[in-house]
Amino acid sequence: MNNGAINEERFFIPVPEAERVSAVWTWPARPTIVMALAHGAGANMDHSFMQALAQELAAHDLAVLRFNFLYMEKKQKRPDPPAMAHRVLRLAWQVAHDRFPSLPLIAAGKSFGGRMASQSLAREPDNRVKALVFFGFPLHPANKPGTERAAHLKAVAVPLLFLQGTRDALADLSLLAPIVSALPNGSLATFEGVDHSFQRGKTNAVPALAKTASEWLFSLKFD
């Protein structure tokens, strides 16, 4: 684990024909992996969870790019249509790859952000992306169990890590676990007593999330 200085840099990612979105880099002195981390549906890239997660991941030698989706940049409540979300994701992946071209690029997202990333990769593979990490995959609406949102996952070719709380109302583990086990490239890590926001009373789950994600990533064999 890196105990050195963590750097941050704020900037904008141009979105052709749709203005721009805010973004921020968080990185250690010598990163070994670069991650593009998308936010969830209800909070932007500067939510305390996103900031803390980026700092913890950077302490594990990851360079982390956070960014807003367009609707969040415009302070709108309704999430972007998938096509626009996918577009912003791919622009962010390009920015991350261009900044650290020699490092493995990892797509990641909290809830909505992760689901949009997997949808995009299922529809159009991107050889820049070497793995995908879900910080809470939203399998179904709250307390309405179903599996339709997972139908596309079998079309994603890269390794997938699902980090899920056992009290997540958006992911019944009795449904999600067999889905992940059936994926040839899927892995599941659960966090006892944690909800979809990765909260359990006053317990801070972020260090454990970052540690689990980084250890899994470092176990992979990248091209």
Side-chain angles (χ1 to χ4, degrees), residues 140-214:
H140 49 72
N143 302 311
K144 295 181 179 179
T147 60
E148 292 82 1
R149 290 182 179 178
H152 69 282
L153 293 174
K154 59 182 178 295
V156 181
V158 299
L160 306 172
L161 175 62
F162 296 76
L163 302 170
Q164 304 287 151
T166 60
R167 294 180 56 248
D168 189 341
L170 276 66
D172 184 332
L173 285 176
S174 69
L175 297 176
L176 182 61
I179 290 170
V180 176
S181 64
L183 297 171
N185 52 357
S187 299
L188 173 64
T190 60
F191 297 81
E192 187 63 35
V194 174
D195 63 15
H196 191 67
S197 297
F198 291 102
Q199 294 180 345
R200 184 183 60 189
K202 295 183 179 180
T203 301
N204 181 8
V206 170
L209 288 170
K211 182 175 185 292
T212 302
S214 61

Side-chain angles (χ1 to χ4, degrees), residues 24-28 31-38 50 53-58 60-67 89 92-93 95-97 99-100 103-110 128-135 161 163 209-210 212-218 222:
V24 58
W25 277 111
T26 305
W27 78 99
T32 54
I33 289 174
V34 57
M35 174 183 286
L37 177 63
M50 296 290 289
L53 182 58
Q55 288 284 329
E56 287 288 341
L57 289 166
H60 288 278
D61 295 325
L62 274 70
V64 181
L65 172 65
R66 305 192 324 268
F67 54 94
L89 280 164
W93 296 344
V95 168
H97 176 73
R99 178 70 177 266
F100 295 99
L103 301 184
L105 170 61
I106 309 303
K110 172 72 176 76
R128 296 171 300 187
V129 176
K130 304 304 181 184
L132 172 56
V133 178
F134 298 102
F135 292 96
L161 175 62
L163 302 170
L209 288 170
T212 302
S214 61
E215 287 178 350
W216 180 78
L217 289 169
F218 292 133
F222 298 114

